[in-house]
Amino acid sequence: MAVESYRRNVMPEPQVEPKTREKSGTRTRTRVVSLKKAETLVYLALFVLIAAAAIFVLSLKMEAYELQTEKAQLENEIAIKEGEISELRTEVTDLASYDRIYEKANELGLDLNNGNVKVAEKYGKD
């Protein structure tokens, strides 16, 4: 009891001012939605999964682009080599013609003797 009387005597009670209410037609209530730990972990895992899938898809697209450019370069090199091969085949055909061989034989002083002429098979098949 001594404590109660001390508090009454020494510490004055705070005065409560009457609150004035403003009259308004609507009352607004704010409600904060809180997530549980499990829901937060599920959303976080979902976000990480979506981010990882996006990164994976982008890396695959980048790799496909690099392979496509490499393929185009190789096809270009193949076309160049095929052109060179065609040119060399034309040159071989020209050098192996009967008329050219006959002219070279005459330049070297060789005579045409049908007994010495033999037919050789072509070294490669077309």
Side-chain angles (χ1 to χ4, degrees):
M1 290 270 201
V3 175
E4 289 178 8
S5 64
Y6 176 76
R7 282 187 184 168
R8 287 183 198 155
N9 293 337
V10 175
M11 299 175 83
E13 290 185 21
Q15 295 178 1
V16 178
E17 295 180 19
K19 294 183 180 179
T20 58
R21 284 189 172 178
E22 295 180 17
K23 292 185 178 180
S24 61
T26 59
R27 290 181 10 181
T28 58
R29 265 186 144 172
T30 58
R31 186 173 189 187
V32 177
V33 177
S34 63
L35 297 175
K36 295 179 183 177
K37 287 183 181 179
E39 291 174 337
T40 306
L41 288 176
V42 168
Y43 288 133
L44 183 63
L46 184 62
F47 177 74
V48 169
L49 183 66
I50 290 172
I55 290 171
F56 181 71
V57 167
L58 289 176
S59 67
L60 285 179
K61 285 195 179 260
M62 182 70 113
E63 186 177 346
Y65 177 75
E66 289 173 358
L67 290 175
Q68 189 174 4
T69 55
E70 185 178 344
K71 177 185 170 190
Q73 289 175 348
L74 290 175
E75 286 177 350
N76 189 21
E77 289 178 16
I78 288 172
I80 291 172
K81 294 295 181 184
E82 285 178 349
E84 290 176 2
I85 289 171
S86 174
E87 204 173 293
L88 291 173
R89 281 188 180 154
T90 305
E91 187 176 341
V92 166
T93 304
D94 184 46
L95 292 175
S97 70
Y98 179 76
D99 294 334
R100 183 186 169 279
I101 292 173
Y102 187 72
E103 288 175 10
K104 287 292 183 182
N106 283 337
E107 287 177 10
L108 296 173
L110 300 174
D111 293 328
L112 179 64
N113 185 352
N114 286 335
N116 291 338
V117 176
K118 294 184 180 179
V119 176
E121 292 183 21
K122 197 170 185 180
Y123 57 89
K125 294 182 179 180
D126 288 335

